Amino acid sequence: MAFLVAGTLQVASKMADARQSLERKGKYGLQGPRVALTLCSPEVSASTVAVLEGVFRTLGFESCQRREASVQGFLGELAGFQEQLDALGGPMGCALVALVAPRGQLRQPQQLVQELSHCRALWGCPKVFLLLSSAPGAASEPGAFLTVLSELCGRFPHWSLLQLLTEVFYRTAKESEATCCPVLRSSLRGALCLGDVEPWEPQLEPSPSTQYDLSGTRAALLLSVVHDRPGAQHDVEALGGLCRALSFKTTLRTDPTAQAFQEEMAQFRECLDARRAPVSCALVALMAHGGPQGQLLGADGQEVQPEALVQELSHCRALWGCPKIFLLQACRGGQRDAGVGPTALPWFRCWLRASPTTPSHADVLQIYADAQGSSSAGPAPGSPDQADVLMVYAAAEGCVAYRDEEKGSDFIQTLVEVLRADPGAELLELLTEVNRRVCELEVLGPDCQERVKACLEIRSSLRRQLCLQA
């Protein structure tokens, strides 16, 4: 019994330290060991694995394991890795897992990602997944993504990982002549800096080429179903005011049907293409009820796929090379997340000074990229027209998004609060702060008797830093 109590207190103390670090500095503390694992299929070249292991060492990972297995065996290998970490008896600082397989074989990566989220030693700790696809018969030398990643990790260890990846995406696009488009998915709650230097210490200022030029017209489209969504009007008012404050020419449509969602997006695209003056940025907010598979429901109850709306704007000629921001306030399923963490008695919760649980989908960073170029072997993880897209979901995949009838949704209201406080900061950093605040909340929905947690998902193929106010 004493052993169980001691173990629980140890994990709880680690989570309290991590939470206080995130509150105080907005970054992960990384006090514990860093562990790395490479899972690769037999077809993966030795040179690719060697570059990966060099990246791990540069980033300060003390333990670097490598296991070769078929893609079907990846889940079992990850389960064994999880058990190994839990058996160490102490909290970790960070875990990095590289999954390398021929293109198209990693069909359900979320199942692999979720496996490590169950690891008790990693509760509240960042978990980074590098999902690399390689082309059958590709050259033995690693492609642009791994080459640039290796170089920048060595040169700029003081940069936060999201900042580093944005620069990698930019340089990869130049090296590969836009034939591939890396994508990241983040639910991080703070800055993740794997070097030994604070990311806000004096550093090289980014060159103008690494920032989006927002000197042209900015356009925003807000599509919101307010009927039978109490509190939605508060989101419309708050987001509309923010867009105007950030100099977006804003179009608002309320209670669109499923067909109207598509028609409004097509009209928005046509208007942008018809403009003579340059367009530098577009923001689209989609606010509605959500279907069980992440569909949006129009005011008529019919479904529309958000991916189709994103694709519509990606074809806009006026926005080629420009950032396209999508905010999705909608449920993505019916799951309610109770969070992960040690069971807490009332006195225990007071001692931690906060809820001891963390959303089970939080603290994960996934990077999808090509390991060996993509010249002639089929589509890369993201096609060129998916570049420069930033999507922010109010809920993790499969989960409920919450909205207060009197105040509006947690996501939109927190987003507006954070951006108004510091509109000149880099947008990915601001969104990470939004997620931290949302993850701290405990939600008691109208049809739920227990308090639950929420977590954002940020997807980015941005290739430059994005600051909405100079």
Side-chain angles (χ1 to χ4, degrees):
M1 180 64 180
F3 173 78
L4 292 176
V5 171
T8 300
L9 288 175
Q10 184 183 36
V11 174
S13 177
K14 162 67 177 177
M15 294 185 67
D17 289 344
R19 180 175 294 107
Q20 290 170 5
S21 174
L22 284 168
E23 290 174 349
R24 183 174 62 253
K25 297 182 178 179
K27 74 181 290 281
Y28 289 98
L30 303 184
Q31 294 92 348
R34 305 180 189 184
V35 293
L37 170 68
T38 298
L39 292 179
C40 56
S41 62
E43 302 91 337
V44 175
S45 69
S47 59
T48 295
V49 175
V51 171
L52 276 173
E53 292 179 344
V55 170
F56 296 162
R57 288 191 296 270
T58 300
L59 294 176
F61 283 82
E62 300 94 344
S63 172
C64 302
Q65 303 179 31
R66 182 203 311 178
R67 301 176 189 175
E68 185 176 294
S70 65
V71 174
Q72 293 75 17
F74 279 9
L75 185 61
E77 294 289 349
L78 265 179
F81 184 59
Q82 171 199 330
E83 294 173 359
Q84 175 187 343
L85 297 183
D86 282 335
L88 293 177
M92 299 289 109
C94 179
L96 195 160
V97 176
L99 306 172
V100 195
R103 187 172 304 128
Q105 291 194 17
L106 285 172
R107 301 184 184 278
Q108 294 182 321
Q110 292 309 304
Q111 186 178 8
L112 300 172
V113 171
Q114 196 62 28
E115 179 66 33
L116 207 58
S117 296
H118 299 314
C119 179
R120 295 187 303 275
L122 290 170
W123 281 343
C125 301
K127 297 164 279 286
V128 181
F129 288 83
L130 185 54
L131 299 102
L132 298 170
S133 59
S134 60
S140 59
E141 292 302 317
F145 178 84
L146 276 182
T147 302
V148 174
L149 177 65
S150 178
E151 175 193 351
L152 293 183
C153 284
R155 289 183 59 193
F156 305 112
H158 52 289
W159 283 7
S160 72
L161 194 52
L162 290 185
Q163 182 183 9
L164 187 87
L165 287 170
T166 301
E167 181 68 14
V168 171
F169 289 7
Y170 171 70
R171 299 195 186 188
T172 298
K174 292 175 60 179
E175 293 288 335
S176 62
E177 297 181 351
T179 58
C180 66
C181 172
V183 179
L184 66 84
R185 297 173 62 172
S186 172
S187 62
L188 296 179
R189 296 176 294 141
L192 177 55
C193 180
L194 295 175
D196 295 327
V197 184
E198 299 283 1
W200 36 83
E201 287 292 317
Q203 61 186 51
L204 294 175
E205 291 296 325
S207 64
S209 63
T210 62
Q211 291 192 16
Y212 286 105
D213 178 7
L214 300 188
S215 59
T217 299
R218 306 179 187 190
L221 175 64
L222 312 183
L223 301 177
S224 177
V225 175
V226 297
H227 176 69
D228 194 31
R229 294 183 67 239
Q233 190 61 38
H234 297 296
D235 288 346
V236 171
E237 294 170 358
L239 195 54
L242 176 68
C243 288
R244 289 188 291 273
L246 294 173
S247 302
F248 281 87
K249 297 183 181 298
T250 305
T251 302
L252 169 65
R253 298 289 183 266
T254 58
D255 291 324
T257 63
Q259 182 176 351
F261 266 104
Q262 297 174 316
E263 292 173 348
E264 291 288 348
M265 184 64 74
Q267 184 176 351
F268 184 61
R269 170 194 170 186
E270 292 169 1
C271 288
L272 293 180
D273 278 336
R275 294 185 65 89
R276 293 185 178 180
V279 180
S280 61
C281 182
L283 185 151
V284 176
L286 307 172
M287 300 175 280
H289 285 302
Q293 303 300 320
Q295 313 94 320
L296 295 173
L297 302 181
D300 56 352
Q302 299 301 304
E303 299 178 355
V304 60
Q305 297 294 338
E307 292 77 11
L309 303 178
V310 174
Q311 196 68 19
E312 177 74 34
L313 200 60
S314 295
H315 292 155
C316 178
R317 296 187 304 275
L319 288 170
W320 283 348
C322 301
K324 296 163 279 287
I325 306 167
F326 292 85
L327 308 176
L328 292 94
Q329 171 57 45
C331 293
R332 303 177 69 192
Q335 300 176 21
R336 298 184 183 275
D337 187 0
V340 295
T343 303
L345 298 173
W347 64 268
F348 193 61
R349 294 165 63 91
C350 292
W351 176 68
L352 286 176
R353 293 183 295 174
S355 167
T357 58
T358 298
S360 60
H361 299 274
D363 307 306
V364 175
L365 175 63
Q366 305 170 54
I367 306 115
Y368 296 79
D370 257 12
Q372 295 170 302
S374 58
S375 58
S376 61
S383 57
D385 63 2
Q386 292 176 320
D388 308 300
V389 174
L390 175 62
M391 300 179 65
V392 191
Y393 295 86
E397 189 171 338
C399 292
V400 173
Y402 297 100
R403 171 177 28 84
D404 188 284
E405 296 183 2
E406 298 180 357
K407 300 178 181 178
S409 66
D410 294 332
F411 166 45
I412 296 297
Q413 296 299 322
T414 305
L415 173 76
V416 171
E417 177 184 347
V418 170
L419 265 65
R420 280 192 176 276
D422 193 5
E426 204 279 324
L427 189 54
L428 280 179
E429 294 180 2
L430 291 174
L431 290 171
T432 301
E433 171 62 15
V434 173
N435 188 41
R436 183 190 70 79
R437 298 189 187 188
V438 170
C439 287
E440 289 294 326
L441 299 175
E442 286 191 317
V443 182
L444 185 62
D447 56 346
C448 181
Q449 299 302 314
E450 297 183 358
R451 295 188 180 275
V452 290
K453 309 293 289 189
C455 177
L456 307 186
E457 181 183 318
I458 302 164
R459 296 190 188 184
S460 173
S461 61
L462 296 180
R463 296 180 292 178
R464 294 174 174 84
Q465 296 187 57
L466 177 56
C467 302
L468 295 178
Q469 187 176 94

